[in-house]
Amino acid sequence: MSNNIEKLKEEIRLKVEEALTKEELEIIRNNYLSKKGEFAKLMASMKDLPNEEKPAFGKLVNEAKTLIELILLDKLSIIKDKLLEEKLNNEKIDITVKGDKFSLGTIHPLNQVIEDLEDFFIAMGYEVKEGPEVELDLYNFEMMNFSEGHPARDMQDTFYVEDKVLLRTHTSPVQARTMLESKNNPVKIICPGKTYRRDEDDLTHSHQFMQIEGLVIDKNISFANLKDTLLRMVRHLFGEKREIRVRPSYFPFVEPGVEVDVVVNNNDGTKRYIEVLGAGLIHPEVLRMGGYDPKEFSGFAFGIGVERIAMLKYNVEDIRNFYLNDLRFLQQFKGDLS
């Protein structure tokens, strides 16, 4: 009986070597290893053997079946590899053929300014904070020291959703929220975002615009710290030799408050000044409402109009161009504009 098993193994081995496809291997498997195959017949014939020979015979049959399974698997792997190689050869790409051209977009010029300033201030140790555009009067006006009846609260200047709910007129509410969350700890943040006011749209005004406000609170913060920060920022934006002019102004949430102008040299040697932002030392009442003792803490705040910076930096004459989605305008800002 063992001779029969050896002959069967050799017969199968030859057929497997000659097989060229997976289908041929499957036929061999069915003929020899299925429930009605040759090995099943061998196991069925075991009933005619003496009892003492049955274990040895059964072991030989099982070992032969295992060997045939391995032979089939090896040949299947060879056939698959060959098929894959043929497929790869047939799918070769001609790398000399010109590829399709895709028109790449670009970051919006206003976002370019925001991301540039975010990188600048993060390098100086600031955090970037954001907040909701639909705000409460509490954070937008009250905590910024805008008293009841202040003109900025008038319906003609502000978009109100409800009596005490409005579209924020500046990103200062983010500062108010941050002060309350910080619980009497130092703060060093910038707050970029979209703001809304009831302005008539023209060359230099828009009913929606982008702002970046900054807030620093700590012990022994002085006006010198504010001026140094603003001068560094202006020189980052407009060049290392650019100067600024600081002149007094009034904002309810700072005391003293200032307007900051960028100095521009004319071709005839004269100078002109372009206003770019407002700033000042934080009003003691604003510190107090934010949870800080004005006798222990001081700080400064500033607010930058992103459109104003972009207009100066990229020589844009009409603020409305930033919001018209005109590709002829936007495609001018591809690449590095720093």
Side-chain angles (χ1 to χ4, degrees):
M1 296 294 285
S2 62
N3 290 335
N4 292 340
I5 295 174
E6 290 300 323
K7 287 180 181 179
L8 190 60
K9 284 166 40 177
E10 187 61 27
E11 176 185 330
I12 297 170
R13 185 182 288 109
L14 291 172
K15 289 187 177 182
V16 169
E17 288 179 0
E18 294 172 357
L20 299 176
T21 65
K22 293 187 287 185
E23 291 74 19
E24 290 178 2
L25 287 180
E26 191 60 31
I27 291 171
I28 295 171
R29 180 186 297 278
N30 288 334
N31 288 342
Y32 292 97
L33 299 177
S34 68
K35 291 181 179 181
K36 295 182 179 181
E38 295 300 321
F39 279 96
K41 293 176 183 178
L42 283 174
M43 293 299 287
S45 68
M46 194 166 56
K47 67 180 185 300
D48 300 326
L49 294 175
N51 288 337
E52 63 272 13
E53 294 181 14
K54 288 180 179 179
F57 180 76
K59 181 179 179 183
L60 287 174
V61 173
N62 286 329
E63 288 176 349
K65 286 178 66 177
T66 301
L67 177 63
I68 297 306
E69 286 281 6
L70 292 174
I71 292 172
L72 287 167
L73 285 174
D74 288 343
K75 187 57 184 277
L76 180 61
S77 178
I78 292 171
I79 291 174
K80 285 183 176 180
D81 288 344
K82 186 176 180 181
L83 289 173
L84 179 60
E85 184 178 355
E86 291 175 354
K87 185 178 180 181
L88 291 174
N89 287 333
N90 292 332
E91 292 182 354
K92 281 185 177 176
I93 298 173
D94 184 357
I95 60 173
T96 63
V97 176
K98 291 184 178 180
D100 295 330
K101 280 191 174 182
F102 295 95
S103 178
L104 296 178
T106 183
I107 300 173
H108 193 279
L110 297 182
N111 286 334
Q112 289 189 34
V113 172
I114 290 172
E115 291 178 10
D116 180 34
L117 286 174
E118 283 180 344
D119 291 341
F120 171 76
F121 281 108
I122 288 172
M124 293 178 64
Y126 284 68
E127 291 184 78
V128 178
K129 294 282 189 178
E130 296 180 343
E133 293 178 20
V134 178
E135 260 296 359
L136 298 176
D137 181 282
L138 170 67
Y139 299 115
N140 194 82
F141 288 133
E142 189 174 329
M143 287 192 64
M144 290 297 108
N145 208 29
F146 286 85
S147 59
E148 284 288 341
H150 193 283
R153 291 175 179 241
D154 191 86
M155 290 289 291
Q156 300 304 312
D157 295 310
T158 304
F159 292 102
Y160 276 87
V161 180
E162 296 176 4
D163 184 38
K164 294 292 184 178
V165 181
L166 50 95
L167 297 183
R168 66 184 182 187
T169 60
H170 43 196
T171 58
S172 301
V174 182
Q175 298 182 22
R177 292 173 179 272
T178 302
M179 284 191 287
L180 294 174
E181 292 169 2
S182 298
K183 298 179 180 178
N184 212 34
N185 290 311
V187 171
K188 198 174 185 182
I189 63 168
I190 59 167
C191 320
K194 189 180 294 183
T195 58
Y196 306 85
R197 295 179 192 172
R198 291 176 65 95
D199 286 337
E200 294 292 335
D201 291 356
D202 57 28
L203 290 175
T204 57
H205 296 85
S206 174
H207 65 281
Q208 68 170 48
F209 53 97
M210 306 293 287
Q211 267 194 343
I212 298 178
E213 294 193 17
L215 174 71
V216 174
I217 299 176
D218 208 336
K219 296 178 180 179
N220 301 316
I221 297 295
S222 70
F223 196 90
N225 300 122
L226 170 60
K227 186 175 180 181
D228 177 68
T229 299
L230 297 180
L231 183 59
R232 288 189 187 193
M233 181 193 68
V234 166
R235 288 180 173 175
H236 170 76
L237 289 169
F238 301 108
E240 287 299 318
K241 294 183 179 180
R242 192 60 60 104
E243 295 296 331
I244 61 174
R245 181 178 70 172
V246 178
R247 51 192 172 82
S249 187
Y250 169 74
F251 303 102
F253 38 86
V254 290
E255 185 180 69
V258 295
E259 299 276 6
V260 179
D261 304 329
V262 171
V263 179
V264 179
N265 294 313
N266 298 318
N267 293 331
D268 60 3
T270 61
K271 294 181 178 180
R272 58 191 173 97
Y273 303 92
I274 301 177
E275 178 189 330
V276 292
L277 62 95
L281 296 184
I282 302 172
H283 195 288
E285 189 59 30
V286 173
L287 284 171
R288 194 174 291 110
M289 286 187 287
Y292 291 85
D293 183 354
K295 295 180 180 178
E296 184 180 1
F297 286 91
S298 56
F300 62 78
F302 56 87
I304 309 162
V306 175
E307 285 85 352
R308 176 66 62 87
I309 297 298
M311 291 175 76
L312 291 174
K313 192 173 175 64
Y314 307 138
N315 296 316
V316 177
E317 295 181 353
D318 190 337
I319 192 174
R320 291 169 291 193
N321 286 325
F322 292 122
Y323 295 103
L324 294 177
N325 293 325
D326 188 333
L327 291 179
R328 294 169 300 178
F329 173 76
L330 297 176
Q331 284 172 350
Q332 300 176 75
F333 300 94
K334 285 187 176 181
D336 182 11
L337 298 178
S338 62

